Amino acid sequence: MEALPSLRKALVILLLSFVAILDVSSSSSPDVVILNAERRIDLTSPIVRAYLSLKVQNAGTSEASEVLLAFPPTQAKRVALLKASIVEGKRKKKTHTPLSVNAIELPDTSNGAKLFSVSLLNPLKAGETALVEVLYILTHSLEPFPTEISQSESQFVYFRDSAIILSPHHIKEQTTYLKTPNNKVESFTRVDPTNRVGAELRYGGYEDRAPYSFSPIIVHFENNNPFAVVEELIREIEISHWGSIQITEHYELVHAGARHKGVFSRVEYQSKPSISGISSFRHLIAKLPPRAHSVYYRDEIGNISTSHLRVDNQKSELEIEPRYPLFGGWKSTFTIGYKLPLEDFLFESADGRRYLNYSFGCPLFETTVNKLTVKVVLPEGSSEPSAFVPFPVEQHVETSYSYLDVVGRTVVALEKKNVVPEHNSFFQVYYNFSPILMLAEPLMLVSTFLLFFTTYIAYLHMDLSLSKS
């Protein structure tokens, strides 16, 4: 009789395990079929952007609540951003509703492919279809070849991918388009049918491709766009309730293209700007917030005067020129600083908390940031800080000290790797602050001066001379 409870417990555990296995197997959505897939890969800049349109259908009998995306392991490490949306309506009445995308792991994944699950807003019933659009951005995916070029040579790169869209779902029809910066395509892999018209390559259409089909391709083409990579960017946002926000950005910039070989000729560079150093950095554009003022641009030597600032009510653009042109493999370290009006970025929430609303990404145009750290320095006396960022970041709290500080200032630090221009989204940092604390530093100064003058007056009235007895 004592064995019956144990037997019942074992049966319950076995039943729960069976249900879990069914749940895992159903999460792979084996009944979802992709009726038509169109992929467009933009190779015109150092940052690769791919737009994927999927017309999916539930070919099974049970509801399907997700669509799976697959990436080769080497490519998955370079995915900086992955977004999906469901499209409803036609032509001008189209609406795009964002969908949740999460990385998942399944035991039966082919060739180590990394999977992401796109959760549908409404599960597809048997026979229903939906149109899902996906945007994914790849960094460090263009390999310079040759790896070294002289000052007068153009830069050529390799791009590696698959002519067949890697997918855990069966794809009935699919086509892939690749757009290069110009017509100078040295070579490309042919997977018939393959067609090239000017700067565009077309792979497909292909029909009835089994799940996890893969057909590697290599495209070798010219790309002289500046391969600007910020190895590390540290942005400090210091909030002062006395009327301004101070922004200080420290850059470690590198040209990540083909390395420069030979001797650099300044005369040739200036006399033949359209030929000499065509892939080098001549200048960079930083898009600053509107009404930015007190802007400076300097390095270890001092202020750099080769910069131009254009300010209006909509935006502020800072055109910066390094002290020397940057060729492949060359680096530059500099600092940009400016001030912003407090009322444009600091607000008060309904519950009385104050919050900063500011952009997260890098202001430099078409730049990849390997590591971005944003430090929000709150006024002394702030408490209960919390940050809300629209994508995953690492967060921690520090303490910094400035002039006239007693207990230090709370610093909310946000860190993210592999940052692209599409990460220029607003984030918020909430905190509590009592207005009476704004009087702390003025009272400290007044008390210090009062003590000094009191001591001085007392010293003047003291008779320290030795009198004769």
Side-chain angles (χ1 to χ4, degrees):
M1 297 297 293
E2 295 179 358
L4 287 177
S6 300
L7 181 60
R8 290 175 180 172
K9 186 182 295 184
L11 289 174
V12 171
I13 294 175
L14 182 61
L15 180 61
L16 292 176
S17 302
F18 180 69
V19 171
I21 292 173
L22 285 178
D23 182 64
V24 172
S25 61
S26 63
S27 65
S28 61
S29 300
D31 294 330
V32 172
V33 175
I34 300 177
L35 300 179
N36 183 273
E38 181 180 283
R39 179 176 56 168
R40 294 186 176 272
I41 303 177
D42 187 354
L43 304 175
T44 57
S45 80
I47 302 173
V48 178
R49 293 174 174 87
Y51 304 88
L52 188 61
S53 179
L54 304 174
K55 185 177 181 180
V56 299
Q57 182 185 44
N58 183 7
T61 57
S62 58
E63 292 185 343
S65 59
E66 63 179 358
V67 177
L68 300 185
L69 305 175
F71 294 90
T74 54
Q75 195 177 77
K77 298 177 182 178
R78 299 169 179 172
V79 175
L81 184 70
L82 177 59
K83 298 195 300 184
S85 62
I86 190 165
V87 181
E88 297 176 342
K90 295 182 179 180
R91 297 182 181 179
K92 295 183 179 180
K93 296 183 179 180
K94 275 187 177 181
T95 59
H96 293 75
T97 306
L99 301 176
S100 175
V101 181
N102 298 292
I104 62 172
E105 293 184 4
L106 295 179
D108 56 347
T109 304
S110 176
N111 297 325
K114 302 299 181 181
L115 298 181
F116 293 85
S117 171
V118 179
S119 301
L120 301 176
L121 292 177
N122 300 311
L124 292 179
K125 298 180 180 179
E128 288 186 343
T129 62
L131 181 59
V132 177
E133 291 188 353
V134 178
L135 166 65
Y136 62 90
I137 300 177
L138 306 175
T139 57
H140 308 292
S141 294
L142 301 182
E143 308 170 22
F145 187 83
T147 57
E148 293 184 350
I149 57 175
S150 64
Q151 182 174 334
S152 58
E153 290 180 306
S154 293
Q155 177 177 261
F156 286 82
V157 296
Y158 276 141
F159 175 70
R160 307 172 189 269
D161 208 322
S162 171
I164 309 299
I165 301 174
L166 182 63
S167 174
H169 304 294
H170 177 81
I171 304 179
K172 291 189 175 182
E173 295 180 2
Q174 62 174 295
T175 309
T176 295
Y177 299 89
L178 284 81
K179 184 180 180 182
T180 57
N182 51 49
N183 298 338
K184 295 182 180 180
V185 179
E186 289 285 288
S187 62
F188 57 93
T189 306
R190 290 187 175 273
V191 181
D192 291 331
T194 303
N195 185 31
R196 178 193 167 194
V197 178
E200 186 176 81
L201 285 169
R202 174 179 174 174
Y203 286 92
Y206 305 113
E207 297 181 354
D208 292 325
R209 296 292 175 165
Y212 296 107
S213 296
F214 193 83
S215 181
I217 58 172
I218 300 178
V219 183
H220 190 206
F221 61 96
E222 183 186 59
N223 192 332
N224 285 315
N225 290 299
F227 277 45
V229 174
V230 179
E231 293 184 333
E232 185 174 11
L233 168 57
I234 300 177
R235 174 188 293 140
E236 297 177 357
I237 306 174
E238 185 175 347
I239 301 175
S240 172
H241 285 178
W242 290 98
S244 66
I245 298 177
Q246 175 66 50
I247 310 293
T248 307
E249 299 175 344
H250 306 278
Y251 290 85
E252 293 182 10
L253 181 68
V254 63
H255 190 312
R259 300 181 65 86
H260 178 265
K261 68 177 180 180
V263 180
F264 169 66
S265 172
R266 171 73 71 172
V267 175
E268 179 184 346
Y269 183 79
Q270 293 182 342
S271 61
K272 302 177 181 179
S274 60
I275 301 176
S276 179
I278 190 172
S279 63
S280 65
F281 293 172
R282 300 180 183 273
H283 63 270
L284 293 172
I285 301 295
K287 294 184 178 181
L288 307 182
R291 301 211 294 167
H293 62 92
S294 305
V295 181
Y296 64 85
Y297 165 48
R298 64 170 66 115
D299 58 9
E300 295 88 345
I301 300 176
N303 187 58
I304 304 174
S305 59
T306 54
S307 60
H308 307 280
L309 178 65
R310 294 182 291 271
V311 181
D312 56 34
N313 294 330
Q314 302 298 325
K315 63 181 183 306
S316 302
E317 285 189 353
L318 177 64
E319 180 181 347
I320 61 177
E321 295 183 16
R323 293 186 182 273
Y324 51 86
L326 288 182
F327 287 83
W330 294 12
K331 298 183 179 182
S332 177
T333 303
F334 57 90
T335 300
I336 296 176
Y338 50 93
K339 290 185 178 181
L340 298 170
L342 185 69
E343 63 272 14
D344 291 353
F345 301 93
L346 191 69
F347 308 95
E348 186 172 346
S349 61
D351 58 357
R353 303 184 70 191
R354 301 172 186 247
Y355 68 94
L356 173 75
N357 188 47
Y358 199 77
S359 179
F360 183 84
C362 175
L364 296 181
F365 179 74
E366 281 298 290
T367 302
T368 300
V369 182
N370 290 343
K371 181 182 179 182
L372 172 59
T373 302
V374 178
K375 295 184 177 182
V376 181
V377 183
L378 304 178
E380 188 177 27
S382 302
S383 61
E384 300 180 10
S386 59
F388 297 90
V389 189
F391 37 78
V393 296
E394 296 181 7
Q395 302 184 23
H396 62 273
V397 178
E398 305 173 353
T399 302
S400 68
Y401 292 88
S402 182
Y403 54 90
L404 298 181
D405 286 347
V406 178
V407 296
R409 304 186 182 189
T410 301
V411 180
V412 179
L414 309 173
E415 295 183 3
K416 184 172 179 57
K417 297 180 179 179
N418 210 14
V419 177
V420 292
E422 281 72 9
H423 285 120
N424 285 345
S425 301
F426 283 92
F427 71 97
Q428 296 79 36
V429 175
Y430 290 80
Y431 62 95
N432 291 327
F433 184 80
S434 176
I436 195 65
L437 295 176
M438 295 179 62
L439 301 176
E441 292 181 356
L443 289 176
M444 186 184 303
L445 288 174
V446 171
S447 301
T448 302
F449 279 108
L450 182 62
L451 179 62
F452 172 77
F453 284 114
T454 302
T455 304
Y456 182 70
I457 293 173
Y459 171 75
L460 292 178
H461 286 77
M462 292 177 62
D463 185 7
L464 299 178
S465 61
L466 298 175
S467 60
K468 296 181 180 179
S469 56

